[in-house]
Amino acid sequence: MAAGILGGAIPPAPAPSAAPAPEPVKPEQAYAELDSFLQEQIDALGIPGAAVAVVRDGVRGQAAAFGRADDSGRPMTAQTPVLLASTSKTLTAIAVMQQVEAGRLWLDETVQTYLHWFPLATAARQP
């Protein structure tokens, strides 16, 4: 065990003929590639319109819209309201379970544990 710990502390020697590390991709280039990919997918799947936002560490890095917002042909924008209908239930369930897996949320707690302002119209929770 000690040999494994000590051995892990020493970085391996670089290969003599190693190619130089590739230059990091600039955000603008990555967003352009993402937009291109999304447009291809929207066209291939026949999706009338979509809006996408990229968020990293709580900061919006990019917002883009594709296609049309409705049957009149009005263009989709990043601010166009979209009705999710029952899709929002699935997205909410996925988000909740990700938080459970990360240990930030527990399913056996009441919603008020996390959203103190959220009222319940039902009687007090029974054991």
Side-chain angles (χ1 to χ4, degrees):
M1 178 102 165
I5 293 171
L6 292 176
I10 302 170
S17 63
E23 292 187 31
V25 176
K26 294 180 181 178
E28 299 81 23
Q29 179 184 358
Y31 293 141
E33 290 178 16
L34 175 62
D35 289 353
S36 176
F37 171 78
L38 291 173
Q39 186 64 63
E40 289 173 10
Q41 294 302 304
I42 288 167
D43 293 344
L45 297 171
I47 297 171
V52 178
V54 177
V55 178
R56 183 174 185 180
D57 298 327
V59 178
R60 188 181 86 177
Q62 166 78 342
F66 308 89
R68 61 185 194 281
D70 54 32
D71 291 337
S72 73
R74 182 172 52 101
M76 179 70 83
T77 70
Q79 291 76 34
T80 301
V82 178
L83 297 175
L84 294 176
S86 290
T87 304
S88 62
K89 296 171 191 158
T90 303
L91 296 175
T92 301
I94 291 169
V96 166
M97 293 310 295
Q98 287 175 334
Q99 297 305 307
V100 170
E101 289 176 350
R104 292 186 286 258
L105 190 135
W106 290 265
L107 293 178
D108 58 350
E109 293 291 334
T110 64
V111 70
Q112 287 81 19
T113 301
Y114 307 104
L115 304 173
H116 304 289
W117 53 266
F118 191 84
L120 281 182
T122 60
R125 184 174 98 169
Q126 297 182 13

